[in-house]
Amino acid sequence: MSSRMCVVLGLLYFASVCSGRMEPGEVLLVIACPPLPRQAKDECFALSDSVRKQHRQLERAEIFPGDYVLKVHVMQELFNYWTLLDALPHLRGQTRLLNARTEWIIWCQHNTRVSSLRGLLEQLRRQDSGELSFHGHALYDSEATIIHHFSNYKDPQRFPYPMLSAGVVFTGVLLRRLAELVASNAQNTTLPSDFSIDASHELARFIYENVTPDPHSGTPVSVRITLKSASYICPTFVSMRTAGTPNRGPRCMLHAKPEEPPAGLLSTSEHLKERCVYTTGSHIYFAIKTCAKFHKERITIIERTWAENAQNRRYYSDVADVGIPTISTGIPNVQTGHCAKTMAILQLSLKDIGEQMDIRWLMLVDDDTLLSVPRVSALLSCHNHTEFVYLGQRYGYRLRAPDGFNYHTGGAGILLSLPLVRLIVERCTCPSASAPDDMILGYCLQALGVAAVPAAGMHQARPQDYAEELLLLQPPVSFHKFWNTDPEYTYRRWLGGSSGNSSVPLAAYTQRVTAAALRLHERQPCPVVAGFLQETGLESSGKRLDL
Ligand SMILES: *[C@@H]1O[C@H](CO)[C@@H](O)[C@H](O)[C@H]1NC(C)=O
Ligand SMILES: *[C@@H]1O[C@H](CO)[C@@H](O)[C@H](O)[C@H]1NC(C)=O
Ligand SMILES: *[C@@H]1O[C@H](CO)[C@@H](O)[C@H](O)[C@H]1NC(C)=O
């Protein structure tokens, strides 16, 4: 580090580094952990144990004696935040986990693995902790995509963002700067949108747009901060041995763990059998939301793909059409929003289901949703259908605001246990007929104390809207939108066709939702949402993020 750099960056934080490390710097390893399912939580603590164990071995062997102070912290996701930007104030605030001595932060998820702590610490020693930088396995978009707010639409292939499950390494200086930007309530910081969709891309973009090496001077675009691609952080585990260079130890110090095969289905494992309930398409009621103008074009595609595995399927439309057949909701079609229609669908579905004891779940989908019934069944088999369970692809709205909330985005499909459908019909109301249905549902359920549990593999957009590596890591359960795609090809290639291709590992949720987390503590009526919606402009359906 040059002495000039020390003057610029140092003083506060790096006096110790520049003066020959009087005090050891800190390395903070944070494991961001979702509240549910329990298996993910178990993985978080197993990761934490593994890192601590490796650390003790290094200390005993005097490999890193007092070189670094290592702190390991399992960060439970609080109800509303699951993005690093939202978590920062908590790391900096009371916990003081992120402080002036922190040189490196290793940000992990439940499915991240640290295969060599020694290799990782050696690597960090070689990197410059005084630089505003972050390192990870770089993902790129193949085309501009709505899930990334169409950013860099002219040149999407050149903007790297990290694969979060592989782990991301930040310098302390960068995260302290970010924490300041977030805390100062950000008049001069730019957020692409009120929606949190892909925390990884949004983070990379926030850094690119708001962090400059010198905050007091205009910075040319050429020195903006982008993710540094790090070969020691891998999408999956690859050892040097397989790469043909034996005896050098693992090349991947951090990597993502691919999802396991379907839990609870054909599993011989006793504890999975005990935790999971065998679930098939016959246990799921599929409520498909359509309207007259799409009866021909879209329903045909569903009938040619996933319908054959979905014996309990009903098409709910603005018009009854005996030829399909569709059921009329009695609600005129609107361009966006659909709140009244969705509430009517839930009511009609409950009537239709009646006392059919076999049906445990309701899946609400659009007429341009593609899904794999076998994979949805596998996903559900380890959740408890007698409790209030709300699963889907989680998005956030205004998460940093006190009234922000999570919701499951409609196009990917929303999974509800039957008791929860009853609760919704009883408690949730639409502020207006064309309010955004999926958001109102999320808002109401949050107010009722039901968490939006993210289900990996569900997708609000088309396969080409996601980095391929992510789709390979986590076998997809659903996609949405037919434009510019061949839905039948998507169904076979990405959703495993009608067999769900059980040889492909499926989303593994091997633990039912724990009763405690989802049980309603108090049965309060759903609060009046209209005021809030007017305030945020959400009420006008034009604000809806209709993907
Ligand atoms: C925002 O930027 C303006 C000018 O660019 C500056 O005067 C102001 O102090 C900045 N506000 C904050 C909170 O940093
Ligand atoms: C599901 O939840 C109910 C109520 O909390 C409980 O009695 C039951 O044992 C659970 N089922 C499974 C398979 O865990
Ligand atoms: C299932 O998927 C795997 C991996 O994509 C593929 O190799 C295999 O041929 C598929 N099996 C069937 C029966 O389609």
Side-chain angles (χ1 to χ4, degrees), residues 80 103 136 141 150 229 275 290 351 514 532 540-541:
N80 241 342
E103 286 186 13
D141 289 333
F150 290 118
S229 174
R275 285 177 173 189
T290 186
K351 267 198 207 129
T514 52
F532 162 75
S540 68
S541 48

Side-chain angles (χ1 to χ4, degrees), residues 49-211:
D49 288 347
S50 147
V51 172
R52 285 176 211 270
K53 193 168 149 215
Q54 292 184 58
H55 189 230
R56 279 196 302 275
Q57 283 165 356
L58 294 179
E59 281 182 328
R60 239 178 275 133
E62 305 204 335
I63 291 169
F64 280 98
D67 203 337
Y68 279 124
V69 175
L70 180 74
K71 288 192 203 163
V72 181
H73 180 70
V74 177
M75 192 194 74
Q76 305 285 342
E77 255 184 22
L78 298 183
F79 206 65
N80 241 342
Y81 70 77
W82 40 277
T83 75
L84 181 134
L85 287 177
D86 297 304
L88 270 178
H90 301 268
L91 289 181
R92 249 259 290 238
Q94 283 178 347
T95 63
R96 305 287 307 146
L97 283 167
L98 173 64
N99 59 54
R101 300 238 314 271
T102 316
E103 286 186 13
W104 297 101
I105 296 92
I106 304 158
W107 181 262
C108 303
Q109 300 198 145
H110 67 93
N111 55 345
T112 308
R113 296 293 174 268
V114 179
S115 52
S116 168
L117 180 66
R118 176 182 180 169
L120 185 58
L121 293 177
E122 279 168 356
Q123 177 63 41
L124 295 186
R125 234 186 208 166
R126 289 194 287 272
Q127 296 180 177
D128 182 358
S129 67
E131 192 180 47
L132 292 159
S133 66
F134 66 126
H135 310 252
H137 176 71
L139 299 173
Y140 298 88
D141 289 333
S142 56
E143 55 186 78
T145 163
I146 190 156
I147 64 159
H148 296 151
H149 315 277
F150 290 118
S151 67
N152 307 299
Y153 62 92
K154 284 186 190 140
D155 206 1
Q157 291 118 346
R158 291 187 52 186
F159 185 72
Y161 56 101
M163 179 191 251
L164 291 183
S165 46
V168 190
V169 171
F170 300 85
T171 57
V173 244
L174 175 60
L175 279 205
R176 281 186 293 270
R177 178 74 67 75
L178 278 181
E180 277 159 26
L181 287 170
V182 176
S184 68
N185 252 340
Q187 267 153 35
N188 289 355
T189 56
T190 60
L191 271 179
S193 143
D194 281 336
F195 291 90
S196 298
I197 296 177
D198 178 348
S200 158
H201 193 275
E202 285 151 15
L203 173 68
R205 191 159 166 212
F206 185 87
I207 292 172
Y208 181 82
E209 288 176 354
N210 297 291
V211 183

Side-chain angles (χ1 to χ4, degrees), residues 80 82 195-197 390 392-399 405-410 414 436-443 446 452 544-545 547:
N80 241 342
W82 40 277
F195 291 90
S196 298
I197 296 177
Y390 173 41
Q393 188 181 25
R394 178 177 59 183
Y395 281 10
Y397 183 69
R398 285 163 57 92
L399 289 184
F405 60 94
N406 291 315
Y407 68 98
H408 291 319
T409 176
I414 298 172
D437 54 352
D438 50 2
M439 299 181 75
I440 298 298
L441 214 52
Y443 183 76
Q446 174 161 301
R544 172 173 157 77
L545 191 76
L547 300 185

Side-chain angles (χ1 to χ4, degrees), residues 149-325:
H149 315 277
F150 290 118
S151 67
N152 307 299
Y153 62 92
K154 284 186 190 140
D155 206 1
Q157 291 118 346
R158 291 187 52 186
F159 185 72
Y161 56 101
M163 179 191 251
L164 291 183
S165 46
V168 190
V169 171
F170 300 85
T171 57
V173 244
L174 175 60
L175 279 205
R176 281 186 293 270
R177 178 74 67 75
L178 278 181
E180 277 159 26
L181 287 170
V182 176
S184 68
N185 252 340
Q187 267 153 35
N188 289 355
T189 56
T190 60
L191 271 179
S193 143
D194 281 336
F195 291 90
S196 298
I197 296 177
D198 178 348
S200 158
H201 193 275
E202 285 151 15
L203 173 68
R205 191 159 166 212
F206 185 87
I207 292 172
Y208 181 82
E209 288 176 354
N210 297 291
V211 183
T212 52
D214 179 357
H216 302 295
S217 71
T219 305
V221 167
S222 60
V223 296
R224 296 277 177 100
I225 295 155
T226 53
L227 178 75
K228 291 196 168 169
S229 174
S231 62
Y232 60 95
I233 303 176
C234 312
T236 55
F237 182 71
V238 186
S239 76
M240 278 306 263
R241 207 162 306 146
T242 58
T245 332
N247 307 325
R248 295 277 310 278
R251 184 177 69 91
C252 296
M253 321 302 178
L254 278 172
H255 65 93
K257 183 191 76 86
E259 288 300 331
E260 297 296 333
L265 283 183
L266 307 165
S267 174
T268 51
S269 149
E270 280 309 312
H271 90 265
L272 285 186
K273 268 188 188 158
E274 171 194 311
R275 285 177 173 189
C276 303
V277 181
Y278 182 69
T279 305
T280 69
S282 68
H283 298 119
I284 310 165
Y285 182 93
F286 294 90
I288 303 149
K289 203 168 48 177
T290 186
C291 61
K293 75 171 168 183
F294 293 130
H295 285 181
K296 272 217 176 67
E297 175 194 327
R298 292 185 179 175
I299 292 180
T300 316
I301 292 172
I302 293 180
E303 288 294 315
R304 280 208 303 263
T305 54
W306 57 273
E308 65 176 307
N309 288 330
Q311 54 270 53
N312 308 308
R313 64 180 183 283
R314 299 286 184 278
Y315 295 100
Y316 287 97
S317 182
D318 49 342
V319 174
D321 177 343
V322 287
I324 295 178

